[in-house]
Amino acid sequence: MITPAFDITQDSDFLIITIKVPYARVSEVDLYIDGDDFKFYAKPYFLRLTLPGRIVEDGRQKATYNADDGIFTVQVPKETPGQQFEGLNLLTSLLAPKGARTCKPLIEEIGSANEAHEDDEEEFDWQIEQTPYEEPSSDAINAHCGYGFGNLRLGVFGRLQEELNDVIDLRDPDVTPASERTQKRLAAETAKFDPDHYLADLFEDDAIQHLLKYKPWWVEVQKGASGASPDSLKFTEKEKEQLRKFTNKSYLLEKKGEQAVYLSLIDLLLAYCYELRVTEGERNVESAWNIRKLSATLSWFENYKSVMDVLVSFGRRTLCYPLYRNFCLVTKAVQDTCALLRLGKAGILKCLLDIHAIFQENDPAYILNDLYITDYCIWIQKVKSKKVSGLLDCLQATAVSKADLGLELEELEEAATLVQEEEKLLEASDDAPRQPAAQVTSEASSSSDSSETEYTSSDEEDESSGEERELQDSSETLQGETAAALIQVVDNTAADAESHPGVTSVPLQAPMSTEEKVQEAITSPETPNSHRHAPAVSPDKSQDQTAADCPPCTEPKRQTREFLEVDPGMMNRLHIVGVPEEEEGDDKLLSVG
């Protein structure tokens, strides 16, 4: 028999069941309606549904057939008008037989009371060897090191070791207990963390800011219909085909194992939400790698103990492995997961079906479907909606920070910020205008004696002859002015000497040529700065320095001179004049004052 494709909708009074049966014999159609059972038969198709509510056959039911499309549409009245049937889009659970929902063991050991009584009467050996009691660890209890959905799988890697080594990061899972898996995972994440990659995504986040603006499809569904119910979601034909291919079964889970299944579900959804955001809803060749790498459930067979453990694991792996490593993406993935859980089981199922399709197209990631995803797709259809709401409340109440990840992110960001500030200060100082190394002006000539001015000779030998003639003319003009000024000073002081007999005069000498001044300035033991900054002729100066300051007289030989105090205001201070030197071929700077 063939199970046909079908779909179920509802209104306040009826269920509308659409069944696609091409090439069926319409004359042999049978319908069966009784309580929560609905059966349809049209050779070679057979459909049996176990509904979440009761239906009745009271004469209001009707069926129509579209021969062109081969579709039967059956309208069945509800026993209680206005009742809303939940989970009508969870097709796998609707196909389950009525008695298949029990988790009662199929094999039980049954013994008679007489046999038990005979066993009790056997003599007990009191001399048996005794050992001290030791509390067994959880790993010792689960010595088989199970994995997969609910840790119900064992020994898979013995047969598929080569294929699975390319899918998961854990080596030898059949002999690695849960606590050791966690330690190895944390060590691998710490070694993989790249501070440079993290800081690059932190400070150059244009692409990440664009990704943060993306809105997944379930956010749009919630905005489009306020208070959207799970039944408002529509599955595509491909998704319905996936649901019909699943084998319906029930899972016998302990309380601790059931909690681990719920926590791993959050881990899967977080990884899927991240992948959907960074690809902006467009699946690519890296989608399978992103999901299984970000989920420690899939890559390390991790067994979580709390929601906080899930968030810390996801945050660490997000900052270590994918292309975009930014803490804002971690926060955004948590928000997307919370919005997804608000849609209930139907929204979760659509995401799981998408993961299943991604893995099915990727080799060898399809093995993870057999270990986890297929079982999750079947299991989620049967869980209570109250459990999903409780999971949402727990996730919303848990917040993860950068300090919780154990990667020293805050210290790293603080150090990077300080480095950036220093670089900005250096760039600002480099851009500031610089003053010349030596700058001589008329104001600089009146500075204090402690200031120093650097004099440099020009290394350029290709100056034009016109510039040299201009400098020579300037030098001759300045020499004439200097001689006239000194003659005027001597004449004035001579008149004062007659009225002040205590002051002697200094005989004038003929002006020195420019070459003689340059040669004397070079051979002088004093630096040019001392001449330039001298405010007046001092009696403490040596004879050689005095001769350099005052031009020689017209007499060919220098005579013994006496010093004369001259008013500083009467001195004519001069600028620097470059004088070419014929012997060395370089320009020298001479200060005359």
Short mmCIF file of all heavy atoms in Angstrom, two decimals, residues 110-122:
data_model
loop_
_atom_site.label_atom_id
_atom_site.label_comp_id
_atom_site.label_asym_id
_atom_site.label_seq_id
_atom_site.Cartn_x
_atom_site.Cartn_y
_atom_site.Cartn_z
N ILE A 110 8.52 -12.58 33.44
CA ILE A 110 7.38 -12.99 34.25
C ILE A 110 7.73 -14.29 34.96
O ILE A 110 8.11 -15.27 34.32
CB ILE A 110 6.12 -13.19 33.37
CG1 ILE A 110 5.80 -11.88 32.63
CG2 ILE A 110 4.94 -13.64 34.22
CD1 ILE A 110 4.65 -12.02 31.67
N GLY A 111 7.64 -14.30 36.26
CA GLY A 111 7.91 -15.50 37.04
C GLY A 111 6.80 -15.78 38.02
O GLY A 111 6.10 -14.87 38.48
N SER A 112 6.60 -17.05 38.35
CA SER A 112 5.53 -17.42 39.28
C SER A 112 5.95 -17.19 40.72
O SER A 112 7.14 -17.09 41.03
CB SER A 112 5.17 -18.91 39.10
OG SER A 112 6.29 -19.72 39.44
N ALA A 113 4.99 -17.09 41.58
CA ALA A 113 5.28 -16.87 43.00
C ALA A 113 5.99 -18.06 43.62
O ALA A 113 6.83 -17.92 44.51
CB ALA A 113 3.97 -16.59 43.76
N ASN A 114 5.68 -19.26 43.12
CA ASN A 114 6.33 -20.46 43.67
C ASN A 114 7.83 -20.45 43.38
O ASN A 114 8.65 -20.79 44.22
CB ASN A 114 5.71 -21.73 43.07
CG ASN A 114 4.25 -21.90 43.50
OD1 ASN A 114 3.87 -21.42 44.57
ND2 ASN A 114 3.47 -22.59 42.69
N GLU A 115 8.18 -20.06 42.15
CA GLU A 115 9.59 -20.00 41.80
C GLU A 115 10.33 -18.99 42.65
O GLU A 115 11.45 -19.23 43.11
CB GLU A 115 9.75 -19.65 40.32
CG GLU A 115 9.24 -20.74 39.40
CD GLU A 115 9.33 -20.34 37.96
OE1 GLU A 115 9.64 -19.15 37.72
OE2 GLU A 115 9.08 -21.17 37.08
N ALA A 116 9.71 -17.87 42.93
CA ALA A 116 10.34 -16.86 43.77
C ALA A 116 10.49 -17.37 45.20
O ALA A 116 11.49 -17.11 45.87
CB ALA A 116 9.52 -15.57 43.75
N HIS A 117 9.49 -18.11 45.68
CA HIS A 117 9.54 -18.63 47.04
C HIS A 117 10.66 -19.65 47.17
O HIS A 117 11.37 -19.68 48.18
CB HIS A 117 8.20 -19.26 47.40
CG HIS A 117 8.18 -19.80 48.80
ND1 HIS A 117 8.21 -19.00 49.92
CD2 HIS A 117 8.14 -21.10 49.25
CE1 HIS A 117 8.19 -19.75 51.02
NE2 HIS A 117 8.14 -21.06 50.62
N GLU A 118 10.86 -20.47 46.13
CA GLU A 118 11.92 -21.46 46.17
C GLU A 118 13.29 -20.80 46.19
O GLU A 118 14.21 -21.25 46.87
CB GLU A 118 11.80 -22.38 44.97
CG GLU A 118 10.58 -23.29 45.04
CD GLU A 118 10.45 -24.12 43.79
OE1 GLU A 118 11.32 -23.96 42.88
OE2 GLU A 118 9.49 -24.91 43.71
N ASP A 119 13.45 -19.72 45.47
CA ASP A 119 14.72 -19.01 45.46
C ASP A 119 15.02 -18.42 46.83
O ASP A 119 16.17 -18.39 47.27
CB ASP A 119 14.70 -17.90 44.41
CG ASP A 119 14.65 -18.49 43.01
OD1 ASP A 119 15.02 -19.67 42.86
OD2 ASP A 119 14.24 -17.75 42.07
N ASP A 120 13.98 -17.96 47.53
CA ASP A 120 14.19 -17.35 48.84
C ASP A 120 14.63 -18.38 49.87
O ASP A 120 15.30 -18.04 50.85
CB ASP A 120 12.91 -16.66 49.31
CG ASP A 120 12.58 -15.45 48.46
OD1 ASP A 120 13.50 -14.93 47.77
OD2 ASP A 120 11.41 -15.03 48.47
N GLU A 121 14.25 -19.62 49.67
CA GLU A 121 14.58 -20.64 50.65
C GLU A 121 15.98 -21.19 50.49
O GLU A 121 16.45 -21.98 51.31
CB GLU A 121 13.56 -21.80 50.55
CG GLU A 121 12.19 -21.40 51.02
CD GLU A 121 11.22 -22.55 50.89
OE1 GLU A 121 11.63 -23.61 50.32
OE2 GLU A 121 10.09 -22.41 51.33
N GLU A 122 16.68 -20.85 49.42
CA GLU A 122 18.04 -21.31 49.24
C GLU A 122 18.95 -20.74 50.33
O GLU A 122 18.79 -19.60 50.78
CB GLU A 122 18.57 -20.91 47.86
CG GLU A 122 17.88 -21.65 46.73
CD GLU A 122 18.45 -21.26 45.39
OE1 GLU A 122 19.38 -20.41 45.38
OE2 GLU A 122 17.98 -21.77 44.37
#
